[in-house]
Amino acid sequence: MFHYLSAFFYSLKDFLVEYVDIDYSLWLTWVLTPIIITFLLPAVIILLLYMSAIIFFIYKWHRERLKDAYDDNFFHGAIKTVAAVWDAHGWLWHGWEVVGEENIPKDSGALLIYYHGALPIDVYYLLARTYLNQNRLIHTVGDRFLFKIPGWKILTEVLKIIPGTVQSCSAVLKENNMLAISPGGVYEAQFGDCYYHLMWKKRLGFAKVAIDAKTPVIPFFTENIREAFRCLGIGRRLLLRLYLATKIPLVPIYGGFPVKLRTYIGKPIIFEDGVTPEEVQIKVAAAIEELIQKHQRVPGSITRALFDRFYTNPKDKKT
């Protein structure tokens, strides 16, 4: 995909240079180059995901040769390799950091709830870092369309991505695993904006999971996640109608900007017996909104987030 798009734009440029005024062509090239780069950078993330799938396929195809190398988890080496790639990408491209990593349990289950960016690359980074440091895989809940993307089945199998019914999520947690859920899901990803409002509607599934599994809830939020990737604002009303009718994310994503990303992991929230799903939702939403208010300047600014890679003025940060 990247190759064909690149070839198309370069062919277009060559045509303009030959048949159109050279000064105008040079100006047009100068104008179009950042636009082209902006819309092609998301393809890098897709490429990394497919590269991850390829690594898992290699392990699967050569399992007879490799199975003796691993006792408990055959894919352990593959996941470690993929995790190292994603961790390196986070460090090099976004200077990604984690604050509050000690709040992630090392030997017990927990439900992680997060704000969903246009692309949840912060979740990829956190999953990778946790696996590298703790040898524990954070299970995740993915939208159903993910399971229909060609070549991604092995990703969902190896990385323990599940559609996410209350029963299946609760079962994962009762086995002392960690599970990450974004109540806003694809809706929040596609139609959220730089003001970072939670878009959970009346979704209570995660709250019912927490109550049934009797597990602590850990909120987390990533600063500038909306400045790394954004959704195109044109035609939002039509695309919203199409999404509500089909549940397919159709809003184009652009970006891949090397902005500073910093994930803040909150303290575990423990709920007493008898709590209602509505009460759980309100308390967890308040915890994430507190993280957003404390650590995210709104409206988000791509320029400011880029500047954060080099210097952060303490006066600009809420403490």
Side-chain angles (χ1 to χ4, degrees):
M1 181 181 67
F2 180 87
H3 172 75
Y4 291 119
L5 285 173
S6 179
F8 169 76
F9 283 115
Y10 278 113
S11 299
L12 179 62
K13 184 190 74 173
D14 293 339
F15 172 82
L16 292 172
V17 169
E18 183 175 354
Y19 295 102
V20 185
D21 179 77
I22 187 64
D23 291 332
Y24 173 74
S25 299
L26 291 174
W27 173 84
L28 190 62
T29 300
W30 177 79
V31 170
L32 287 179
T33 297
I35 297 176
I36 295 170
I37 293 174
T38 295
F39 281 92
L40 289 182
L41 279 174
V44 175
I45 299 299
I46 303 300
L47 180 64
L48 281 175
L49 288 169
Y50 271 104
M51 186 173 70
S52 302
I54 289 171
I55 292 173
F56 293 144
F57 271 123
I58 291 172
Y59 267 69
K60 185 176 182 179
W61 290 337
H62 294 276
R63 58 183 177 272
E64 293 301 326
R65 297 179 181 178
L66 298 173
K67 65 181 180 180
D68 293 336
Y70 310 103
D71 296 326
D72 299 328
N73 184 353
F74 172 72
F75 279 100
H76 174 76
I79 298 174
K80 281 280 187 180
T81 303
V82 168
V85 170
W86 282 97
D87 192 61
H89 182 274
W91 177 71
L92 289 170
W93 196 247
H94 293 291
W96 179 70
E97 300 177 48
V98 185
V99 178
E101 191 172 1
E102 67 277 2
N103 292 325
I104 298 178
K106 292 181 171 57
D107 54 8
S108 61
L111 179 60
L112 281 67
I113 303 296
Y114 63 96
Y115 172 86
H116 203 308
L119 277 181
I121 53 173
D122 54 334
V123 179
Y124 307 158
Y125 297 153
L126 184 62
L127 188 153
R129 179 69 60 82
T130 303
Y131 199 80
L132 289 173
N133 291 346
Q134 298 188 16
N135 284 329
R136 296 193 71 196
L137 184 63
I138 299 176
H139 297 228
T140 54
V141 171
D143 196 272
R144 295 185 184 277
F145 84 92
L146 292 175
F147 302 88
K148 301 177 182 179
I149 299 177
W152 282 27
K153 182 179 179 181
I154 196 165
L155 279 174
T156 61
E157 290 176 352
V158 176
L159 298 180
K160 307 298 182 184
I161 302 172
I162 60 177
T165 64
V166 172
Q167 292 76 18
S168 63
C169 291
S170 181
V172 168
L173 291 169
K174 288 178 179 178
E175 294 175 354
N176 282 333
N177 294 304
M178 290 186 290
L179 177 68
I181 298 177
S182 171
V186 173
Y187 177 72
E188 186 172 77
Q190 291 267 280
F191 302 101
D193 56 30
C194 59
Y195 286 90
Y196 289 86
H197 298 303
L198 297 185
M199 302 177 70
W200 293 5
K201 295 185 175 180
K202 295 182 179 180
R203 296 179 179 178
L204 299 172
F206 80 94
K208 295 176 181 178
V209 169
I211 293 172
D212 183 66
K214 298 181 180 180
T215 187
V217 176
I218 300 175
F220 75 89
F221 167 75
T222 300
E223 179 185 4
N224 296 328
I225 190 63
R226 277 278 165 192
E227 281 59 73
F229 290 93
R230 286 191 173 177
C231 294
L232 203 63
I234 301 173
R236 282 292 186 93
R237 291 185 179 180
L238 174 61
L239 292 171
L240 176 58
R241 291 179 182 177
L242 290 173
Y243 171 75
L244 293 176
T246 65
K247 299 302 180 181
I248 299 175
L250 299 172
V251 180
I253 297 173
Y254 68 96
F257 306 112
V259 300
K260 179 67 176 181
L261 294 182
R262 187 180 289 110
T263 297
Y264 294 90
I265 302 174
K267 297 287 186 181
I269 304 173
I270 308 296
F271 294 98
E272 298 179 355
D273 293 339
V275 68
T276 66
E278 289 78 9
E279 290 171 335
V280 172
Q281 186 202 52
I282 291 172
K283 191 166 184 177
V284 175
I288 293 184
E289 287 172 341
E290 182 180 355
L291 290 175
I292 294 173
Q293 184 179 14
K294 186 176 181 180
H295 301 293
Q296 180 66 53
R297 289 163 293 182
V298 294
S301 166
I302 295 173
T303 302
R304 191 168 55 208
L306 287 168
F307 187 68
D308 285 344
R309 288 295 303 271
F310 309 101
Y311 174 74
T312 300
N313 187 343
K315 294 182 179 180
D316 292 338
K317 298 291 292 179
K318 294 184 178 181
T319 57

